Amino acid sequence: METLSDHNWVLSAAVFLPLVGVVAMLLIPRSEELLHKLVALGTALATLGIGVFILFTFDYDRAGTLQYTVNTTWIDVIHSRYIVGLDGISLPLLLLSMVIVVLVLVYSLNHIPDPGNPKALFILILLLEVGMNGTFVAQDLILFFVFFEVVLLPMYFMIGVWGGEQRKYASIKFFLFTLFGSALMLLAFLALYFKTGAASFAIADLAASSSSIAHGTQLLIFGGMFMGFAIKVPMFPFHTWLPDAHTQAPTVGSVLLAAILLKLGTYGFIRIAIPILPDAAVSWAPWIGLLAVIGIIYGALCCLAQTDMKRLIAFSSVAHMGFVMLGISTLTSYGLNAALFGMVAHGLITGMLFFVAGSTKERFHTLEIKRLGGLLLQAPHLGWILGMCVMASLGLPGLAGFWGEFPAILSSYQPAPGLSEPLFRTFMVVAAAGTVLAAGYLLWLYQRVAFGEPSPEFAHHEIHDVELPEWLAWTPLLIGIVVFGLVPNLMFKLFDPAVQVVLGLKG
Amino acid sequence: MFFLDHAWLIPVLPAVAFAIILLVGKRLPGKGAEIGITAILASLVLSLLAAAQWIQRVNDAGAGHEGALGFFTTLGRSIAPRAATAGGEHAAVVEPVIHSITWWQSGSTTFGIGTHIDGLAVALVVVVTIISSLVQIFSLEYMRGDRRYTHYFAGLSLFTAGMLNLVVAENTLQLLLGWEIMGLCSFMLIGHWWEEQANSDAALKAFFTTRTGDIGLLVGISIVFFGAGQTFSIYETNEMATNGQISHLVLLMASIALFIAVIGKSGQFPLHTWLPDAMAGPTPVSALIHAATMVVAGVYLVARLYPVFYDGFSIGNGGVNPMVLIGGITILIAAALAFVQVDIKKVLAYSTVSQLGYMVMGLGAGAWTAAVFHIFTHAFFKALLFLGAGSISHSGSHHSFNMKTSMGGLRKKMPITFWTFIIGTLALAGIFPFAGFWSKDEILVAAGANGYSTFMVIGLIGAFMTAAYMTRCVYLTFFGEYRGGDHHGDVHAPDPALVGALHASEGNEELTLEHDLAVAHDDHGHGVPAHGAAAHGGHDEHFEPHESPLLLTVPLMILAALAMFGGLLNAAPFGIEKFKDWVEPTIAYPEFAHADFSYSKAIVSVCLALAGGVIVFALYQRDLGRLRGLTRRSRLASAGYTFLWNKYYLDDLYEKGVVYFIKKPLAAAMYWINQHVIDGVVNGVGRGSVGVGRWTYRHIDQQVVDGAVNGAGLAAGSSGGFLRTLQTGRVSQYGALLFAAAGIGALILVIVV
């Protein structure tokens, strides 16, 4: 297994390096706020440095193969091994996670939400990074589960401590809801292991022996995984934790949640559920597709009913992740590529939207849409950035969002063999109609927030435009949105070979 | 063939200009305008050189050289050309010049982005770059002092880049890119003065309406993609459709879907309603949108993918199909609306809708060359008319576009604007030998010859109406007495003869007048000394109409020359058919039948147009004669007028019906379901599991369980315990919750596995 590359330490370092920062910060007194900021940022940058190293040493010609693999004993008693590896699917997501963490920390240089305490906040962010990075490289189900759960607690505290007025309700709801899904997921993993009689919890082992399970049982196991992943995505109708969590979370929490955490669910479908149980996936696909398109329309309609900018963006995630799930449900390479692109694009775009929402709130102390207006006059740069994100979010070609949306629609015209064409073509038309609704709620939002004259309430307030930490945190995302929009093959080239492997079409 | 091989430069230059203007435009002496104009002029030169080389290629092919039959590659695969001598009528086959590079990939298939250059593309890039250059030069003066001058030029550059990209697109996905970029730019430019809600409303309306049509584009492209064996390539798609390699049913579905997009983008009935509202943007933008970009995109899509529609809609059979039908309807309903407008730009807007109807009808009737020729000629005279309207508002009517309150008698004050406007009107009305005559006549003749006689008659009626409403427009603007000057005086003491007679019964005269004021808008600089107070006098000073400066009139004169002589490129009775020779595709398209020029039909159509013009002119000269007060005397006339005034109530149907329904009751209902039904279940489950948990885990610390109960948000009032547990009992609480969840899981495990 370790023949591809000699750099098999890099993934472990990429995952656990943030812990070094955490330990260092635990030793530093709480009052040294600047030092905490620097240590956290330094750690995140060092981690990103490993990511850049991976970027340069990754063998792009073999993007479909796991690289930098480590396969060693871990918990022998339950046959769980420490297996990590990285292919074309994991690489962009891992890098996204690393970049977002750095940017979130940069943004936090002068944006510490109430009640302060950057030490605790930054430690949580770094812990979160361990979980996120680990999830994207774990190749053993127990290991995956552990990382998947590690993510939960820091976010729970982030919402519960630094959140808005309803933070208690939101954080508990987030916690219980996802925990519920996780329990079923764990159950499915266990059932899978016992039913296949595989040698270990390694994904490769399980995938190789899953066909021995009766189809009915496969369906149930897939169902367990589905609950775990679908809640995390979140798919309609398991999405109601999301608007509350997003609305209540501090800005950095919302950004992390939208940019990375939601991707853990969709990633799970692509990395675990589909390759291990391809037959069950075919049976489940129509239902997943149905829920996905319901989510697209339903999320968009709920957006139209919102009066709060942040809550609106939160609901838009339901719609956007609907496109991702629609792509996945087609079980075709177009669909999965679209889904993966959509995941990264949504991370960049919605992450940016939450940043802008946070900065708007900081300036106006409200996100109630009808009280805002004339942002383009009072803070022109902020207004233009919001405009660009809105356009990216509604899937304008030339910006990243398009490449998650259109190929997903395209793929539903001809889903994988065994799936009903008329059904998926219906999905296609509904999803295409969803793009109009997306334009609807986003442009109405933009019109009311950015156009017109400032509302009398704020007309005489001194509203400062985008500041340096904001520029530093946002510019990479904005550049990413444009560059990936114009040159999508930067990512498709990575995804595609790995997607072929996932679908069992090659190698 | 350097310029054909490197045609990618043509859209890229304005796109780069857009980026440069955005980044550094404000710091430049010309505020970024010089970048935009330099880029577009460079593109213009490249386009003309490409056109010259294309003509060379066509001539070479005609002379039997091999030059035009050269290789070309699409993604590294070469496509076997149709047998060079096939088809009899065409002695030579001129292949398009196609280049592409990898854009993205999926399933080890790569998709390109590149250029597909043939006669159609060359004709369009020439038109687009000419119009865009003139519009930008015109804007130098027209927009001087505007508060977003730099952004305006950035927008124009991107808009042009979007259209050029669409025109040269090698594949349908790239076409979609240009299509949507134009959607964005029209949004930016129509809403250029977004401080006023009416403007941003218009921008949103344009975006939504075209986006609604775009559902069809997304779906249609997908259908064509799979129908043509998983390729977006326009050339391959066309070739397969022409050779019958794609089933008729697939092509029919694709045609329907794509045509919906055309209806949205090219302002066809019933989605034409955004176009007149789009007049909220600065006037040069209107010229650009209406003449060379945006609305032409839909028609271009049909022309580009014509084999798909030709087979899909069975155009060759001469039967009625959706395209010819929608085109025909659009000609008439838009022309009728043009009669009741008081805003000069709205008259022109409806005339665009109507003329687009001719193009769509022509394409639907199999008159490909004629329709494309009409795109070509229409661009010149429509740009001319819009820029003329801009010149009037700039120097003649105090930034107003209201023909009734602010214009009249401008003929002597603005001679250049007047004469160029007259030339544009004659071209639009299809009077021999102006440009519009040749293309419109060709459409009608071809429609008749291809078995669409009914639609030929509709076209003739349309020609009559066009001449009539344009004469009304010219009369109100340039003839009679000047009604501008002091705004207030005119508003309260309108010329009773005019206002009363034109379209209002006595009863609702006041109402109509208010309407006039409400619907007509202006191109003010909005709060800044937009056009220079020194040059025009202050707002409330006496305002004297005068001719516009050269920066405005020179573009008008150039366009007037093109509107006069542009049609002679394809003047059959003179034995000139250059446009057909150069533009008509010889490969991968169906063979087009060509009807002979018919003197009788030409004479009929010109006479009808002249009659329309003369009748209206005479009526206005006599103060409308017996028609005066018709809406007062006749209920029918009054009802008809009201119906037209309200634009067939389509706007009401869309805005108060569809949009309102989705935005208010439907969205609210969904959100109610979200909060009460779905979340109710969630909270109920939470409550239930907490109950189970309490029952099962009585031995666990009471405080922890309480914390969970409170935290679940059900007992919101008594949730003080949560924070305490948060601080004191983190680990144990997490453990308890995990156990609770695992317990539920275990239960399920026992039951199902």
Side-chain angles (χ1 to χ4, degrees), chain B residues 582-654:
Chain B
W582 292 337
V583 171
E584 200 169 274
T586 48
I587 184 168
Y589 280 79
E591 294 281 341
F592 300 120
H594 287 282
D596 291 334
F597 183 81
S598 152
Y599 282 99
S600 55
K601 281 176 187 161
I603 290 169
V604 169
S605 79
V606 171
C607 286
L608 274 173
L610 284 175
V614 169
I615 290 170
V616 171
F617 195 83
L619 273 174
Y620 276 81
Q621 279 291 42
R622 294 170 190 199
D623 214 8
L624 290 185
R626 293 175 60 185
L627 282 181
R628 210 178 143 210
L630 183 66
T631 51
R632 191 178 59 230
R633 291 198 303 273
S634 154
R635 244 165 216 233
L636 189 67
S638 173
Y641 177 78
T642 312
F643 190 56
L644 284 179
W645 180 256
N646 289 298
K647 301 173 273 186
Y648 312 117
Y649 296 97
L650 278 176
D651 269 340
D652 289 339
L653 172 68
Y654 298 153

Side-chain angles (χ1 to χ4, degrees), chain B residues 156-192:
Chain B
L156 284 189
S157 293
L158 187 62
F159 209 146
T160 311
M163 184 65 189
L164 290 171
N165 172 60
L166 178 134
V167 170
V168 303
E170 187 266 338
N171 57 66
T172 46
L173 202 58
Q174 187 186 351
L175 191 141
L176 175 67
L177 170 72
W179 183 282
E180 294 289 335
I181 285 177
M182 280 194 283
L184 165 71
C185 294
S186 64
F187 176 76
M188 279 163 51
L189 290 168
I190 293 169
H192 182 70

Side-chain angles (χ1 to χ4, degrees), chain A residues 246-327:
Chain A
H246 263 315
T247 315
Q248 299 306 323
T251 300
V252 291
S254 293
V255 173
L256 286 164
L257 197 55
I260 314 293
L261 261 62
L262 304 190
K263 311 309 176 299
L264 300 182
T266 42
Y267 176 78
F269 276 108
I270 293 175
R271 171 65 71 203
I272 293 171
I274 292 173
I276 294 183
L277 294 170
D279 296 336
V282 173
S283 304
W284 270 85
W287 300 102
I288 296 177
L290 179 67
L291 291 179
V293 292
I294 291 178
I296 291 171
I297 300 297
Y298 177 90
L301 287 174
C302 284
C303 279
L304 288 172
Q306 296 312 311
T307 55
D308 182 280
M309 182 170 161
K310 207 172 173 190
R311 205 169 165 81
L312 188 153
I313 301 170
F315 267 109
S316 80
S317 284
V318 176
H320 282 122
M321 295 312 276
F323 278 103
V324 174
M325 290 311 299
L326 176 64

Side-chain angles (χ1 to χ4, degrees), chain A residues 156 168-169 172-173 175 239-240 298 301 306 311 315 334 337 394 397 406 410 413 447 452 486 489 496 500, chain B residues 103-108 173 180 194 200-201 207 211 225-226 230 667 671 674 679 683 711-713 722 734:
Chain A
Y156 165 71
K168 281 170 279 176
Y169 174 72
I172 287 281
K173 193 174 179 182
F175 192 92
H239 64 277
T240 55
Y298 177 90
L301 287 174
Q306 296 312 311
R311 205 169 165 81
F315 267 109
Y334 294 115
N337 278 322
L394 63 78
F406 177 73
L410 180 75
Y413 182 79
Q447 182 187 28
L486 289 176
N489 219 33
D496 193 42
Q500 304 303 315
Chain B
W103 197 15
W104 64 294
Q105 67 181 50
S106 182
S108 63
L173 202 58
E180 294 289 335
W194 39 252
S200 59
D201 278 346
F207 199 91
R211 189 92 181 171
F225 173 79
F226 285 103
Q230 310 212 359
Y671 191 53
N674 189 69
D679 232 14
N683 288 339
F722 171 66
Y734 176 58

